[in-house]
Amino acid sequence: MDLSSSYEDTKDKSYLPLANDVNLEAIASVTEGFSGADLQALLSDAQLASVHELLENEEGYKPGEMPIISNKLLRSVALRTRPSVSESEKHRLYGIYNQFLDAKKSVSAQGVYRKKMKTKENIKGGEDDHHRHPKEETSVELGR
């Protein structure tokens, strides 16, 4: 998920508006590897920082004045924020996922091999699959 689509997703969730100077492409370049949740948290943090910035303004808060998330503020928050999942954890999770895919391929290949062997047995023995009871067929395929 990229920052601009994350921002678009959050517009309806009462986030503060972004100033016209906000460059989402530049912000996206410093948020490489962030998840959608990380980007939403970044926008929430920027929103809070914007409110604090307005309240701590030396000129004082003027009633009715709305905080706006500026590029400078958003960039500052983005540079302080880290992705919730580290690179090493991502590699570990991808490793687990790849093991799962390999196991799935192996099980699938075994099923294809069993079907081929079953077909060869049927041709040699003259047995017709249509006369076999469904439970027998299931137990044979599952290796019972």
Side-chain angles (χ1 to χ4, degrees):
M1 174 176 262
D2 65 0
L3 190 62
S4 58
S5 63
S6 181
Y7 178 70
E8 291 301 319
D9 290 344
T10 59
K11 272 186 171 178
D12 299 330
K13 297 178 183 174
S14 70
Y15 282 86
L16 294 175
L18 295 177
N20 291 333
D21 70 336
V22 172
N23 182 346
L24 291 178
E25 289 177 10
I27 301 299
S29 71
V30 296
T31 57
E32 184 74 31
F34 281 44
S35 68
D38 293 337
L39 295 172
Q40 288 182 340
L42 174 106
L43 289 171
S44 291
D45 290 349
Q47 179 177 10
L48 287 173
S50 178
V51 170
H52 285 284
E53 192 176 74
L54 181 67
L55 294 175
E56 295 167 0
N57 186 351
E58 290 178 7
E59 298 171 13
Y61 170 71
K62 298 174 186 108
E65 189 176 12
M66 281 292 295
I68 295 176
I69 300 172
S70 68
N71 190 63
K72 180 181 175 184
L73 180 74
L74 185 57
R75 184 166 176 76
S76 168
V77 171
L79 291 172
R80 290 191 316 257
T81 306
R82 298 287 166 252
S84 58
V85 178
S86 69
E87 283 300 313
S88 61
E89 183 67 5
K90 279 185 201 173
H91 288 298
R92 188 182 77 79
L93 294 172
Y94 282 129
I96 292 169
Y97 180 67
N98 286 330
Q99 286 176 347
F100 168 76
L101 289 179
D102 290 344
K104 188 176 174 183
K105 287 177 191 173
S106 176
V107 168
S108 178
Q110 288 174 8
V112 169
Y113 176 75
R114 284 188 187 136
K115 277 188 173 182
K116 284 181 182 178
M117 293 305 290
K118 186 177 167 186
T119 303
K120 285 180 183 178
E121 287 173 11
N122 290 343
I123 292 170
K124 285 180 184 177
E127 184 179 330
D128 187 355
D129 276 346
H130 298 295
H131 298 298
R132 191 178 257 178
H133 191 275
K135 284 188 180 178
E136 290 173 2
E137 187 174 322
T138 302
S139 63
V140 168
E141 287 179 10
L142 297 175
R144 292 187 188 156

